[in-house]
Amino acid sequence: MPNTTSFDTVRTSVSRAKGLPNAHYIDPAVYDEERHALLFNQWAGLAVASEIPEPGDAIPSTFLGVPVLLLRDKYDKVRVFQNTCRHRGMILIEHATKIAGAIRCPYHSWCYRTDGRLMSTPHVGGPGQNTHKDINRSELGLIEIRSHIWRDVVWINMNGNAPAFEYAMRDAITRWSEFDQPLYHGGSDSQFKLEVNCNWKLAVENYCESYHLPWIHPGLNSYSRLEDHYNIENYGSHSGQGTLVYRQLFGEHGEKFQDFENLSEKWNASAEYLSIYPNVLLGTHRDHAFAIILIPEGPEKTVENIHLFYSTKDTNEALRKKNTDQWKDIFKEDIFVVEGMQLGRHGIAFDGGKFSPAMDGPTHCFHDWAASQIETQRGMENAAE
Amino acid sequence: MPLSDQDLEDQIIRAHEINNIWLLAKLYADAAERGLDQDHNFFLATQAYVYALQSNHPLKSKLHAFLKSHGREE
Ligand code: FES
Ligand SMILES: [Fe+2]
């Protein structure tokens, strides 16, 4: 029972609260506890569906140590499986590939359909005999991980115990219901990856606050003053920030991206940025959107996968690249602070930090959620003992 | 001129070396028509069937029907 961090100072009003204790950023035992409480028990982002555009497209990866296989089955349904053969536990697919027919395990060649059903078990009853009375194929399909697609993000609930996605995310879905329309991934020039030496939660926390904008993003700040931003605090599911002065990007000859359809006037100059707990950072604007999926790779290492989306399939290439570059510059500006906060959490006397009651509400909102989820899990463990 | 079994075996080994699944399905299916005995044919047909499933080779239906009719496949 290694985990005894206390949340008394976390779960109180923002004016009195402290941040999460250091152990939540640097201690492998706490990282492991959070793996279940904050990631596997939730709807966590894994990837975007645009990465597997065609039936048979398959991408293996490791999510918090668990080998997973993201694929589009031959009926065009996106599925996520544990990438482990039901026979001897071999990894099924090692590299991104296009599955022509069946998934054949490279060890003894058990074959699975792209929807996970086991379809052949060669020589299982002896050479040339592919059936056996004790091999019930209907019970031996691939283990499917519960998944859901929203805003092109493939969300997974590894432990299968979260409420229905639409219910769990209802507040964010409602907030952005006007943007509930097709999103078109900008393609290979509209995605990039950043590797940062910090706990994944620091990336969430930095993203949801606007307090740092004038210091870290002075370029943005020339048109986006701090007072033009507002906090978004939705206890229990998401937090973030909005701006009242979003300006569209224009090309050299006045080109611009097409707006999403039928948006209310509010969105002419507004844009919003939400940290959807646990690990997905979304942004939306009248003419484009993006998703950042945080993949934790250890207590002090995180990969950020960034994807940009538009309202139409075809967009101006130069403008699209300009937009990607602009966001890349901004997200890179954040790296030294999340890495710096990570290092700062090795200061043994650091007490979680004192929040600005006016500016740090979104961060506190995230901590409150994290603490409540960990407490829930500890409660269940204690009840089971 | 029909291939000798040695030729076929060499071709199969080469196909394994270059990991040509489509070709393996075809070669094993050929081999399954001239195994050492009927059990050997079932073995070879199974190999062919699996590679046909993986590569979505049209031979898969025929191989499945063959194996199933002899109680070797579901
Ligand atoms: S481990 Fe997959 S077939 Fe044996
Ligand atoms: Fe930032």
Side-chain angles (χ1 to χ4, degrees):
Chain A
M1 181 70 204
N3 308 315
T4 50
T5 55
S6 160
F7 299 129
D8 296 349
T9 55
V10 175
R11 302 205 68 191
T12 179
S13 68
V14 64
S15 54
R16 297 172 51 198
K18 296 275 172 55
L20 288 168
N22 283 348
H24 289 266
Y25 300 86
I26 62 176
D27 183 339
V30 177
Y31 177 80
D32 206 48
E33 180 181 41
E34 291 186 349
R35 192 167 84 114
H36 281 275
L38 302 187
L39 291 143
F40 290 176
N41 287 348
Q42 316 292 337
W43 286 103
L46 172 69
V48 295
S50 297
E51 291 176 79
I52 45 164
E54 292 171 6
D57 287 344
I59 301 180
S61 65
T62 303
F63 187 71
L64 280 297
V66 177
V68 297
L69 179 62
L70 168 70
L71 64 74
R72 189 176 289 271
D73 76 15
K74 77 173 214 214
Y75 308 104
D76 212 28
K77 183 169 164 27
V78 171
R79 294 177 183 269
V80 181
F81 296 109
Q82 199 166 277
N83 191 13
T84 305
C85 180
R86 294 296 303 275
H87 175 222
R88 298 287 300 126
M90 176 69 186
I91 286 288
L92 286 168
I93 296 205
E94 216 182 327
H95 305 289
T97 185
K98 180 159 216 111
I99 297 158
I103 300 166
R104 181 176 68 84
C105 176
Y107 199 178
H108 312 93
S109 291
W110 286 22
C111 291
Y112 302 87
R113 292 176 204 269
T114 51
D115 62 12
R117 282 178 292 163
L118 179 60
M119 69 186 307
S120 189
T121 48
H123 315 307
V124 79
Q129 175 52 264
N130 306 319
T131 65
H132 187 281
K133 68 175 176 42
D134 294 326
I135 301 291
N136 183 350
R137 291 183 188 173
S138 66
E139 291 172 355
L140 294 168
L142 294 181
I143 308 267
E144 185 157 6
I145 297 162
R146 209 170 159 217
S147 64
H148 185 94
I149 297 172
W150 180 54
R151 297 190 70 72
D152 203 47
V153 175
V154 181
W155 311 74
I156 57 171
N157 173 218
M158 187 76 82
N159 284 347
N161 55 356
F165 184 89
E166 293 87 346
Y167 182 77
M169 299 296 187
R170 63 194 180 283
D171 291 346
I173 293 171
T174 304
R175 180 174 195 98
W176 282 3
S177 59
E178 285 191 53
F179 290 95
D180 211 346
Q181 43 185 301
L183 286 177
Y184 297 92
H185 195 292
S188 56
D189 60 30
S190 300
Q191 59 188 83
F192 55 96
K193 166 177 165 171
L194 297 172
E195 295 183 0
V196 290
N197 293 313
C198 73
N199 184 277
W200 63 276
K201 296 192 298 303
L202 289 174
V204 174
E205 295 164 21
N206 175 63
Y207 182 81
C208 69
E209 59 122 295
S210 57
Y211 193 7
H212 72 285
L213 299 184
W215 318 109
I216 305 305
H217 310 297
L220 265 186
N221 198 47
S222 62
Y223 59 85
S224 170
R225 298 166 305 161
L226 206 44
E227 56 266 46
D228 293 326
H229 292 264
Y230 54 94
N231 292 347
I232 299 167
E233 294 162 33
N234 197 100
Y235 278 79
S237 75
H238 64 271
S239 57
Q241 50 172 309
T243 174
L244 301 169
V245 290
Y246 171 64
R247 297 233 188 109
Q248 284 183 274
L249 186 65
F250 287 94
E252 278 175 35
H253 308 290
E255 315 90 308
K256 55 180 182 160
F257 298 117
Q258 196 169 311
D259 288 341
F260 289 101
E261 282 176 15
N262 303 320
L263 296 180
S264 55
E265 227 166 78
K266 161 188 175 193
W267 294 104
N268 284 350
S270 289
E272 290 190 350
Y273 307 93
L274 300 179
S275 294
I276 310 281
Y277 311 155
N279 69 329
V280 178
L281 316 178
L282 299 178
T284 197
H285 318 75
R286 58 190 287 177
D287 60 349
H288 76 285
F290 60 77
I292 305 174
I293 299 171
L294 304 172
I295 305 294
E297 301 222 315
E300 308 198 51
K301 190 161 187 272
T302 302
V303 171
E304 305 183 351
N305 291 317
I306 296 116
H307 300 270
L308 283 85
F309 303 91
Y310 297 94
S311 67
T312 53
K313 202 161 192 253
D314 296 310
T315 42
N316 179 300
E317 183 182 341
L319 195 60
R320 209 171 57 223
K321 284 184 175 159
K322 191 173 168 186
N323 198 29
T324 302
D325 288 344
Q326 179 176 296
W327 281 114
K328 195 186 281 179
D329 286 344
I330 291 169
F331 298 146
K332 279 183 173 171
E333 287 171 342
D334 285 311
I335 293 179
F336 94 95
V337 284
V338 293
E339 293 190 340
M341 284 194 289
Q342 183 66 37
L343 289 173
R345 275 159 180 72
H346 288 275
I348 53 176
F350 181 67
D351 59 357
K354 175 67 184 163
F355 289 126
S356 154
M359 303 304 297
D360 285 323
T363 306
H364 175 254
C365 185
F366 174 60
H367 284 188
D368 180 78
W369 170 83
S372 77
Q373 297 303 309
I374 296 167
E375 279 176 344
T376 301
Q377 174 167 281
R378 288 179 187 171
M380 289 188 317
E381 279 166 6
N382 290 339
E385 270 165 19
Chain B
M1 194 177 67
L3 296 163
S4 75
D5 288 351
Q6 189 57 51
D7 287 335
L8 187 52
E9 202 174 323
D10 288 349
Q11 286 187 51
I12 288 175
I13 286 168
R14 216 163 313 126
H16 272 294
E17 278 167 5
I18 59 172
N19 201 28
N20 187 332
I21 306 300
W22 180 271
L23 183 58
L24 282 167
K26 169 78 171 71
L27 294 174
Y28 273 113
D30 288 349
E33 287 178 0
R34 48 182 130 141
L36 300 172
D37 51 42
Q38 206 184 18
D39 275 347
H40 193 212
N41 285 341
F42 292 137
F43 169 82
L44 293 165
T46 297
Q47 298 296 102
Y49 178 52
V50 157
Y51 290 121
L53 287 179
Q54 184 185 1
S55 61
N56 204 21
H57 196 292
L59 278 169
K60 69 184 181 185
S61 319
K62 201 179 135 199
L63 289 159
H64 180 257
F66 170 69
L67 290 164
K68 190 169 173 179
S69 68
H70 291 85
R72 302 295 175 127
E73 182 52 79
E74 287 179 13

